[in-house]
Amino acid sequence: MGGTNIWDAEWEVNEEQARTLIGRQFPQLSSKQVKRLGWGWDNTVFLIGDEYVFRFPRRTFAVGAIRMEGKLLPKLETYLTIPYPKPLFYGEASDEYPAPFLGYAHVPGDFPIGLTEERRALSAETLAAFLRRLHEFPVQAALKCGVQQDHRSLTDIASRKVKLEGFLSKLVEHLSPEESGVIEAYINSLQKDRVEAVNALLHGDLHFKNMLVNENGIVSGIIDWGDLSVGHPACDLSVAYSFLPPYARGVFFETYGGADEETKLLARLMAVYIPMLILMQAVDDGNEAIAAEAKSNIMRALSD
């Protein structure tokens, strides 16, 4: 499938290049070890020593997000109740590399892969309190920092339903007949074409690859803020369905401050949609651990 996926890179940065680029602009870091941590659709990520993480855009599309993060993330400090990467080093584009890049304080933790349902439930109030505060950030202040407003048409259920059908047809051989059946039945049950627009500042990409947990499995960090945007809070509230077991959702929504049925409908849809995308990329990469976690997220989202 190479070369045609939306997650394919325009620029690749290896450890040696990262070391050179960081060392030229931030000589105080030049003696530290550089280790590639991984990459997402938009950025390649490196650990510098034990204290810092640098993100280099992989695509032109991601450049605006890096600039916007640099402006907005420092302003969120008084709002956010879970640790997040604060920008400290602002790298400039150069002849060697055509995009700006950012260095952040490293947030320690592990990805929540393979957690028991009991451990997941421990984070219900923590996640809800975090999202309640994030969603209270003034929308106008966010827009002034260059945040996009509903650029993904979050409230358009009809078009997302069509996309989900396409995802399912691509993934059917990687799912069990039971999994395919559950997902297909869910897609067919979506009768509403769209929900009313609501505007809040969103993390915009809240899923297990952008969350960190401590040794007890409790969420201890939220990373990768490149999809910060203004739109329907259901996008972030999807974690109530993808991450939390059904029995923990009541306390989550109570702590958050409630949510109407339309919001819950859209939150569940995003809790299926986002892991389906992650599953497609994991299949493409041959990453069985991520694929298994994405499937379990989808199945959890569709459990009551």
Side-chain angles (χ1 to χ4, degrees), residues 126-201:
T126 304
L127 278 170
F130 163 78
L131 288 174
R132 186 179 70 222
R133 286 294 287 142
L134 172 63
H135 294 167
E136 284 170 357
F137 187 84
V139 165
Q140 288 307 318
L143 293 172
K144 276 185 188 161
C145 290
V147 173
Q148 290 186 281
Q149 186 156 5
D150 198 33
H151 60 297
R152 288 173 294 171
S153 304
L154 289 173
T155 55
D156 184 353
I157 292 175
S159 68
R160 217 164 278 273
K161 180 177 177 178
V162 172
K163 285 179 184 166
L164 272 180
E165 288 166 347
F167 298 167
L168 184 58
S169 66
K170 284 182 187 163
L171 287 168
V172 73
E173 66 199 79
H174 302 283
L175 296 163
S176 71
E178 184 193 359
E179 288 166 338
S180 293
V182 169
I183 296 167
E184 188 174 11
Y186 168 69
I187 295 170
N188 291 337
S189 76
L190 290 167
Q191 299 302 323
K192 213 174 189 54
D193 283 346
R194 72 168 43 246
V195 297
E196 284 292 316
V198 182
N199 285 320
L201 179 64

Side-chain angles (χ1 to χ4, degrees), residues 239-251:
V239 290
Y241 296 92
S242 59
F243 185 81
L244 296 176
Y247 66 84
R249 290 171 192 157
V251 72

